[in-house]
Amino acid sequence: MPTDPIQINSLVAEFAVLDWRESLEFYTHCLEFKIAFQRPDEGFVFLEFEGAQVMFYQANLERNLVTDQAPLERPLGRGVNLQIQTKSIAPLVQRLEQTGVDLSLAPEERWYRVGEFDLGVLQFAVADPDGYLLRFSEAIGNRAAST
């Protein structure tokens, strides 16, 4: 019996996209995600980045998990942002600037309360071609919670 070709996380975001090739170019070229596997005939791609996983499929091609309750138009995913941990945000920010992609949130240092501690991060956000918001976060340490 064959084994699973990759380890799939317990939670993986899957996006309906309007142009899977455009999304693939953005994720692999601009953000340096790697293709774990794909089914081009279905417009489906499974990507990985430093342990994070995401998949997307061409809406209205092979299948459609989107309901008829709202039209499928950009920006998609309104109200959702995915936090993706990374070792360093600097190379991603540089790559996005080089490719002319605008950031939704400029790089910033931010401290978040977590119980009795503040967790520090450097972070920025970018919208993919369909409007899904990706927030990349680099841990910079922790300190006693501010009052």
Side-chain angles (χ1 to χ4, degrees):
M1 174 164 264
T3 59
D4 291 337
I6 67 167
Q7 180 65 42
I8 297 177
N9 294 341
S10 349
L11 175 64
V12 180
E14 182 174 14
F15 301 140
V17 297
L18 300 177
D19 182 339
W20 76 274
R21 287 181 179 89
E22 179 184 29
S23 294
L24 181 60
E25 173 69 15
F26 177 79
Y27 279 85
T28 58
H29 179 72
C30 297
L31 297 175
E32 300 183 342
F33 276 69
K34 303 295 181 220
I35 299 170
F37 62 92
Q38 62 181 322
R39 295 187 298 273
D41 55 321
E42 297 177 24
F44 175 87
V45 183
F46 190 107
L47 300 169
E48 296 183 307
F49 176 84
E50 295 184 20
Q53 298 175 326
V54 65
M55 36 187 182
F56 53 81
Y57 66 95
Q58 179 71 45
N60 301 317
L61 181 62
E62 174 70 19
R63 63 193 176 122
N64 194 13
L65 300 177
V66 179
T67 68
D68 293 330
Q69 296 172 350
L72 191 60
E73 58 189 33
R74 292 180 174 148
L76 302 175
R78 288 169 264 210
V80 174
N81 89 69
L82 300 179
Q83 178 179 306
I84 302 168
Q85 293 295 122
T86 183
K87 295 174 220 156
S88 174
I89 66 167
L92 290 169
V93 171
Q94 181 179 20
R95 180 92 172 161
L96 290 165
E97 288 173 350
Q98 289 171 347
T99 56
V101 175
D102 293 328
L103 302 181
S104 302
L105 172 68
E108 68 175 7
E109 179 178 317
R110 186 76 190 261
W111 292 85
Y112 294 101
R113 170 93 36 98
V114 180
E116 297 178 15
F117 295 93
D118 287 341
L119 174 64
V121 297
L122 297 177
Q123 64 183 7
F124 76 93
V126 63
D128 80 358
D130 288 289
Y132 294 108
L133 193 59
L134 310 169
R135 184 166 47 99
F136 289 85
S137 178
E138 169 188 344
I140 58 173
N142 59 57
R143 63 186 183 198
S146 56
T147 56

